Amino acid sequence: MLSGLRRRIGALIGGFEAAQGSRRLKGFQPSRAHVNTLISATGSDITARARYLVRNNGYALNAAESWTGNAVGTGIKPSSLIADKDLKTLVQQLWLAWTDESDAEELTDFYGQQRRAAREVFIAGEVFFRLRPRRPEDGLTVPLQLQMLPSEMLPLTRTEVLPNGNTIRQGIEFDRIGRRVAYWFLRRHPGDLTDPGMVGEMVRVPAAEIIHVIDPVESGQLRGVSRLAPAIVKLFLLDQYDDAELERKKIAAMYAMFVISPAPTDIIDVTPADDGSGDRIVEVQPGQVVPLEPGEQIQTSAPADVGGSYEPFEYRTLLQISAATGIPYAYLSNDMLKANYSNSRMALLEFRRRVEAWQHSVMVHQMCRKVWQRWLDVAVLSGALDISGYERNRASFIACSWLPPKWDWVDPLKDAKAEIEQIGAGLKSRTQALAERGYDAEQVDAEIAADREREQRLGLTFGSDPTPLLLPPPTS
């Protein structure tokens, strides 16, 4: 009632056309429900459809793999900021050893878990990791592992008020001031029929043990939405259209010719088929003369072609899907024919800006930092690391930079020369340049020094203008 009155007043006042109730916008009545309400009602269907498309649609699969490869690649790796070089080296070596043991399922390492997390966030909009403390007798380098939990294991429908005043919203328990205190997980995946034990049973897990990786799109959003959501309809319909075109061409190709008889109701003697079906068989061979019955004519099959609109239609539809998913067209379709150096570089720069923002605000902030801090705490408490004054100066010890994998450029020679000029002009430091390539500056410098020392010791020379390294004279 009030909304109708507001629209009538708006029509009289004028102003924003987007708010008018004109003929063109008459059927445009969007929901005013909050995103949490929409996710509760439709989130499970969106996730199921997104997973179906990734399993069965090549474009959806390519989009998910492209996003995962660019967002994580071989892993976003830590570089400790501990001032003591010896302690930093010890911490980094222990971390590297632990990454091979981090997966509770023992399927991959920590960087593989990052990859799986990025893929799940793209497909389902979110993923959970449970921090699993282990016993000393388990034989781990640091007694800690991560267990990945898909979004379906936290029911969207679990919403209630608890006797202690806490509130459960979409499976997440909040205290009276709005802090997350626990997650209510199913013990088993609701769709896994191969594991029937404890079906429907739930367990309350404290929030301190859960890492919730999510890229929220609206303020107050609790649960994730698939990045494929704006493209699901077009992906599904385009797949159906392609299947229909392929089936039509297949059926058309099966008919070489038709025999036209003037008396279709007359009974015509037929040559029985080899399988006894009674169908008339006319085999066509090169140079063959086929005798016809009196009055019969031969008409060849001339099926309609797809026409010149098929390719432009596919291209425009895939461009819309590309825009909806945020994946460049060439990455989505693997079509490099329409790409040249300039537009490829522009598309890559825009895509990489989005990926870098996601790496920092989602993967590093929500997952990497929390795992690093918990890992270092457990390493010190378990005795795997002996750091004096850790409790008093914990903030300085857990300080860490996270280095994403380096980008490969379309023209690496030009980019390398430009970067060298920037460093020479003081516009960029070597530390920054190496960090952008995914390397730790101190580690690289140590490797260069060791390489030069070994080259001079062995009498080796590389490069057109090698920088001499003066070694101290040998002591007798």
Side-chain angles (χ1 to χ4, degrees), residues 66-307:
S66 177
W67 171 263
T68 302
N70 282 275
V72 173
T74 56
I76 303 175
K77 300 176 181 179
S79 176
S80 174
L81 299 179
I82 295 176
D84 187 335
K85 292 184 178 180
D86 293 335
L87 179 58
K88 174 182 176 179
T89 301
L90 181 62
V91 170
Q92 293 284 163
Q93 290 175 346
L94 185 65
W95 167 266
L96 183 61
W98 176 79
T99 56
D100 291 338
E101 306 169 346
S102 70
D103 188 8
E105 298 177 81
E106 299 182 350
L107 297 175
T108 184
D109 62 359
F110 176 68
Y111 303 117
Q113 289 181 298
Q114 288 182 353
R115 178 186 176 278
R116 294 179 68 190
R119 194 174 190 272
E120 277 292 299
V121 172
F122 185 88
I123 297 173
E126 63 183 351
V127 69
F128 302 90
F129 285 91
R130 184 172 181 178
L131 297 164
R132 289 284 195 177
R134 299 306 188 194
R135 297 183 177 88
E137 55 267 26
D138 291 332
L140 300 177
T141 305
V142 174
L144 177 69
Q145 287 186 315
L146 305 178
Q147 178 187 8
M148 192 177 85
L149 304 172
S151 63
E152 289 87 346
M153 294 189 67
L154 192 71
L156 288 167
T157 55
R158 184 68 186 267
T159 299
E160 61 182 276
V161 178
L162 299 176
N164 62 358
N166 289 357
T167 303
I168 300 177
R169 301 172 60 194
Q170 297 182 335
I172 306 172
E173 181 180 339
F174 296 85
D175 63 14
R176 295 186 179 184
I177 61 174
R179 294 176 301 186
R180 300 189 180 205
V181 294
Y183 293 79
W184 291 78
F185 284 99
L186 293 168
R187 288 189 177 272
R188 293 292 181 268
H189 192 290
D192 189 358
L193 300 180
T194 66
D195 190 4
M198 295 181 284
V199 175
E201 291 187 23
M202 304 195 71
V203 58
R204 181 182 184 272
V205 182
E209 297 181 11
I210 296 297
I211 296 174
H212 186 189
V213 185
I214 178 178
D215 187 10
V217 296
E218 294 187 27
S219 176
Q221 182 177 336
L222 300 179
R223 302 292 299 273
V225 179
S226 171
R227 292 180 70 95
L228 285 171
I232 283 177
V233 175
K234 289 189 180 296
L235 279 167
F236 180 69
L237 295 180
L238 180 64
D239 203 19
Q240 285 188 317
Y241 169 67
D242 281 335
D243 286 345
E245 285 288 355
L246 184 62
E247 189 70 17
R248 186 174 68 86
K249 295 293 288 184
K250 183 190 76 171
I251 294 173
M254 295 171 67
Y255 294 96
M257 63 181 67
F258 301 94
V259 178
I260 301 177
S261 174
T265 58
D266 293 342
I267 299 177
I268 301 176
D269 293 334
V270 299
T271 301
D274 293 341
D275 59 358
S277 63
D279 295 333
R280 184 174 182 179
I281 297 177
V282 179
E283 295 185 358
V284 180
Q285 298 179 3
Q288 178 182 3
V289 177
V290 181
L292 299 177
E293 298 291 339
E296 289 185 337
Q297 296 179 1
I298 293 294
Q299 178 177 325
T300 59
S301 174
D305 198 359
V306 293

Side-chain angles (χ1 to χ4, degrees), residues 295-412:
E296 289 185 337
Q297 296 179 1
I298 293 294
Q299 178 177 325
T300 59
S301 174
D305 198 359
V306 293
S309 63
Y310 177 77
E311 189 71 22
F313 171 76
E314 288 269 331
Y315 175 64
R316 285 297 165 187
T317 305
L318 287 175
L319 280 181
Q320 295 176 20
I321 295 171
S322 171
T325 58
I327 306 297
Y329 168 79
Y331 287 9
L332 175 72
S333 64
N334 278 345
D335 179 7
M336 304 300 173
L337 297 178
K338 295 180 174 63
N340 57 43
Y341 176 79
S342 299
N343 60 30
S344 295
R345 188 177 178 86
M346 291 178 62
L348 283 176
L349 289 174
E350 174 64 22
F351 179 57
R352 288 173 178 177
R353 288 191 187 98
R354 296 185 181 188
V355 170
E356 287 174 344
W358 188 89
Q359 287 172 337
H360 174 75
S361 62
V362 179
M363 182 59 70
V364 171
H365 184 76
Q366 296 180 9
M367 181 179 180
C368 296
R369 289 180 180 176
K370 291 183 179 180
V371 172
W372 174 266
Q373 294 171 12
R374 178 63 65 88
W375 173 84
L376 201 55
D377 290 342
V378 174
V380 173
L381 290 173
S382 65
L385 282 175
D386 184 10
I387 302 179
S388 59
Y390 179 79
E391 293 184 7
R392 295 191 305 274
N393 301 307
R394 180 176 179 270
S396 62
F397 287 115
I398 64 174
C400 176
S401 296
W402 289 89
L403 309 177
K406 69 182 182 68
W407 298 115
D408 293 320
W409 292 101
V410 179
D411 192 341

Side-chain angles (χ1 to χ4, degrees), residues 8-31:
R8 288 194 294 272
I9 294 175
L12 293 173
I13 297 175
F16 293 105
E17 184 181 2
Q20 303 304 311
S22 61
R23 175 184 57 82
R24 290 184 298 164
L25 300 177
K26 199 169 193 180
F28 191 2
Q29 300 295 333
S31 172

